[in-house]
Amino acid sequence: MGYGNRLFLGDGRGGYRQAPYNDRVARSGWSWGSTPWDFDNDGDRDLFVANGHLSGKSCQDYCTTYWTRWIFEEVKQANPLSDTLIQKSMSRLMSSEISWNGFEHNVLFMNEGGGKFQNIAFLMGVSHDSDCRSVVSGDSDNDGRPDLLGLEGVRRGTDQQREGYIQVIQNLLITGNHWIGVHLEGQPIGAVVSVVQGGKRQILPIVTGDSYNSQHAASAHFGLGKSKSVEALEVRWPNGKVTRVKNPAIDKYHVMKLD
């Protein structure tokens, strides 16, 4: 909790390592769901992070109390007096008079290449300060510009349970960049989608539970930048079979299924 969040990269052998540029994305707040998406279709993955914990009637924060009292209590023997003090200090939090890491803004890290990321959430109008939880990206209108679907939590009563409200954030950014996508039919969980372009590959797996309490659709979207063609669109299915389309049309979604 003292360091911040961590971004791990797969090593291609079933293991993971912390990204060498983790320090650039670690301080994103009290983060919950996240989604890697190429919102500007420039060919690299950006990162959206949903933030916020418990927002109350005031921005006065319980966090300092947590670090000075709760952490102290954990390293000491049980003490009825300190227990009473801690419970009293929490009363204003539980009644929503104060917040605990409340009113935190969502983060949109734009990938600038070379391990450089810049938070542009405010500039793009997505830095909402509501207590957000789940988030997935997906092209809801099939226009080639991935949108966001998020869950905003509102406290119900005096406990920490949340009532959910859906945020649908439409991507209206015009860049002139190209893209290609695929919608998979059947049972695609475990499939790997690849775009071959200039001897290089962009790869996206189809997995489950890849954001907090949520799951992305069985689709894959790839930004192509200014390139006007790709060599191939390939799907390696869970059973090992491969479906390959040579020189597919760009700026459209292709529907593919296992024969």
Side-chain angles (χ1 to χ4, degrees):
M1 293 180 67
Y3 172 82
N5 297 299
R6 299 179 187 270
L7 175 63
F8 291 93
L9 304 177
D11 61 9
R13 301 185 298 273
Y16 294 86
R17 59 181 175 83
Q18 185 169 292
Y21 48 82
N22 194 95
D23 60 312
R24 297 171 178 84
V25 297
R27 308 303 295 176
S28 58
W30 193 298
S31 304
W32 297 83
S34 62
T35 181
W37 61 323
D38 189 357
F39 78 96
D40 52 2
N41 283 328
D42 66 350
D44 54 32
R45 295 276 144 184
D46 311 291
L47 182 64
F48 183 86
V49 183
N51 278 327
H53 187 29
L54 299 173
S55 296
K57 300 175 183 178
S58 167
C59 61
Q60 183 178 345
D61 205 341
Y62 178 76
C63 192
T64 301
T65 303
Y66 170 82
W67 285 106
T68 57
R69 293 182 179 171
W70 278 86
I71 299 301
F72 171 81
E73 177 66 15
E74 288 180 2
V75 298
K76 297 292 183 179
Q77 294 181 352
N79 187 325
L81 293 178
S82 63
D83 289 345
T84 300
L85 178 63
I86 289 173
Q87 293 302 320
K88 184 177 181 180
S89 71
M90 289 189 65
S91 62
R92 297 182 66 205
L93 172 67
M94 303 311 296
S95 64
S96 300
E97 292 182 38
I98 63 174
S99 302
W100 190 352
N101 285 80
F103 306 103
E104 287 192 335
H105 295 268
N106 294 329
V107 173
L108 171 54
F109 287 117
M110 182 177 67
N111 189 341
E112 297 181 309
K116 297 179 180 179
F117 287 81
Q118 189 72 242
N119 181 13
I120 62 169
F122 180 79
L123 295 176
M124 300 302 294
V126 295
S127 62
H128 311 124
D129 62 2
S130 51
D131 293 341
C132 292
R133 296 293 185 262
S134 306
V135 62
V136 294
S137 58
D139 193 353
S140 59
D141 50 7
N142 284 328
D143 67 350
R145 296 175 292 185
D147 310 299
L148 289 172
L149 188 68
L151 181 65
E152 172 187 348
V154 178
R155 183 182 295 190
R156 181 175 66 233
T158 59
D159 58 25
Q160 295 187 20
Q161 296 184 32
R162 324 296 285 179
E163 290 183 349
Y165 295 87
I166 299 296
Q167 293 181 351
V168 180
I169 305 173
Q170 186 180 18
N171 186 348
L172 300 176
L173 183 65
I174 298 175
T175 64
N177 291 332
H178 297 286
W179 59 277
I180 192 171
V182 59
H183 297 312
L184 302 185
E185 294 184 346
Q187 300 294 330
I189 301 301
V192 177
V193 184
S194 303
V195 167
V196 182
Q197 182 185 25
K200 298 181 179 180
R201 284 179 179 262
Q202 289 193 59
I203 300 174
L204 284 176
I206 305 298
V207 299
T208 62
D210 52 346
S211 186
Y212 175 75
N213 276 355
S214 56
Q215 177 178 322
H216 286 80
S219 299
H221 169 276
F222 302 88
L224 303 176
K226 301 303 180 183
S227 298
K228 297 182 179 180
S229 65
V230 298
E231 298 168 24
L233 178 63
E234 182 180 292
V235 179
R236 182 175 297 276
W237 300 93
N239 63 1
K241 291 186 177 181
V242 175
T243 302
R244 182 181 177 92
V245 179
K246 294 183 178 180
N247 302 314
I250 65 170
D251 296 333
K252 66 173 292 185
Y253 285 98
H254 299 260
V255 179
M256 302 176 72
K257 61 181 179 180
L258 182 62
D259 296 329

